[in-house]
Amino acid sequence: MSPTTRAAASRAATLPELCFNVWALIAEQCGFVGAFRLMLLCKTAREGAKVWLRSLPRLVLCGGFYHEDNTHTPSSEVWRLNLGPLRWDRMSDLTRARGQPACCAVRGGVAVFGGVVEDSECTAGVEILEGGPEAEANGFKALPPLSRGPVHDSVAISIDESESEQGRVFLIGADDVYGSSPAVHKVDLATGACSVTALLSPPVNFFAVTAAARLLDGRIVCASETFGDDGYEGSVEVLEPSEQGSTIEASGQWRALPFTIIDRHGIRGCVLSDGRFAIFGGSAGYQRVIGGDISTCLSSCEVLTLDPNGDRWDMLPPMREARNAVVCAAIGGCVIVAGGDSNTIEVYEEELGRWRRLPRDLPYTRRVYDMGSAVIDGVRELGGVLHMVASLTKPSSKELEC
């Protein structure tokens, strides 16, 4: 073959890959919902959009309670939402069924803390599914239990570090005892050792952390609810460095923030792509997910802006369905909201301020609530020329509903 012929053949071979790369970059600009619209244009656009969708973080659901005939049985199921084919994949089960666990991503895997197990007992047990195909095949493994004792109604936030053997996380919540002092504990997964980083509110009869997230600047926003002599009360606080130039790990302290515009309970939230903390749904009454009437659930949503001139909440467009104690995650310029008295899933397009119904429901055969959730890395194929072999299949007939 002549040099000219070989060069032409090389260009012909790389041209499809370059086209996929271009469409993948276009999909990245369009966002999660826009990428699905691109898949309807042509084969090359579809494959390029799939590459970007596969690179997106993946929502993982862990445990929860089955609700049947007024019984609430802990679940050991674990599911992962694969956004490329828009499919729920069953992962290895937990070593112990549990509801209300705290979960977070740790080094590409999923760590699960505490929760309510059989006979309504709380546990201090910890388990982890390590990242990578080989580790996932081995399933979850038990780690040393939390030295602070059993926990539930808590939130776990990963710490970006590489010095520890298994990783470290912040665990925010109270011990499983009445009158305990809610606190932020730094947990070493290798040993289960818990050290107090910062205390929250003073001791109360009941304390539950309903939502917490780390902002882009490192601060942590926490929404909680307590039950004291005057009934239920909700509060929102931010953990920030007590000294300029310091970190919350070294010298963190809590600062009270305004509560939401609408008085609500069962709050769940996440950090939007612009760095603000948003909450979705909840309940206007005092009863929790299963105990109350669905009419008490809320569809309204709010977003928190931390401003030196005054912290404030603003309303976001309401969801299509009223939901309480949802699972939510910000992925690809959108927020995925699932569950909360419904097996359906909604997607909020941040840039357009619009809600859409995802054409995939939760994967459970029975009603499940109080699942733990984490967001783990997707399959990264972008960067330079894509190394992939396109499988040109027909596009799905299902599109996100308008």
Side-chain angles (χ1 to χ4, degrees), residues 30-235:
C30 293
F32 168 53
V33 174
F36 278 94
R37 297 194 191 99
L38 290 179
M39 293 172 67
L40 301 175
L41 295 180
C42 64
K43 295 178 180 179
T44 309
R46 182 170 69 253
E47 295 304 319
K50 283 183 178 180
V51 168
W52 181 72
L53 287 168
R54 285 196 296 269
S55 75
L56 291 176
R58 301 180 180 185
L59 175 63
V60 177
L61 305 181
C62 302
F65 292 109
Y66 299 118
H67 180 225
E68 286 185 321
D69 300 327
N70 292 322
T71 62
H72 315 297
T73 308
S75 165
S76 61
E77 293 184 40
V78 179
W79 292 87
R80 174 177 57 201
L81 180 58
N82 187 340
L83 293 175
L86 199 57
R87 179 187 68 224
W88 285 102
D89 296 326
R90 182 74 179 266
M91 303 177 72
S92 301
D93 283 357
L94 299 172
T95 62
R96 189 176 189 183
R98 61 184 79 199
Q100 294 180 344
C103 303
C104 69
V106 177
R107 298 180 182 177
V110 180
V112 182
F113 306 87
V116 180
V117 293
E118 60 276 3
D119 298 324
S120 299
E121 295 291 331
C122 293
T123 178
V126 180
E127 51 187 292
I128 190 169
L129 179 66
E130 296 178 331
E134 293 184 3
E136 285 191 12
N138 295 329
F140 280 87
K141 67 176 184 180
L143 295 178
L146 300 169
S147 64
R148 60 177 291 187
V151 294
H152 65 97
D153 283 315
S154 298
V155 175
I157 298 177
S158 59
I159 300 175
D160 186 15
E161 56 82 40
S162 58
E163 299 175 357
S164 63
E165 180 181 345
Q166 291 278 354
R168 294 190 180 104
V169 305
F170 285 133
L171 192 59
I172 308 175
D175 299 329
D176 184 40
V177 293
Y178 287 107
S180 63
S181 296
V184 180
H185 285 84
K186 183 185 293 185
V187 181
D188 189 323
L189 294 181
T191 63
C194 302
S195 57
V196 175
T197 298
L199 294 175
L200 279 86
S201 306
V204 290
N205 290 337
F206 171 80
F207 181 94
V209 174
T210 56
R214 186 189 285 270
L215 304 179
L216 300 182
D217 61 8
R219 292 181 291 178
I220 293 177
V221 172
C222 175
S224 60
E225 53 191 50
T226 61
F227 184 78
D229 295 337
D230 298 327
Y232 276 92
E233 292 184 4
S235 64

Side-chain angles (χ1 to χ4, degrees), residues 269-300:
C270 62
V271 178
L272 304 181
S273 59
D274 63 9
R276 295 181 298 168
F277 178 72
I279 55 100
F280 305 92
S283 172
Y286 294 137
Q287 293 178 309
R288 306 204 50 198
V289 181
I290 296 304
D293 190 305
I294 194 170
S295 64
T296 65
C297 294
L298 299 171
S299 62
S300 60

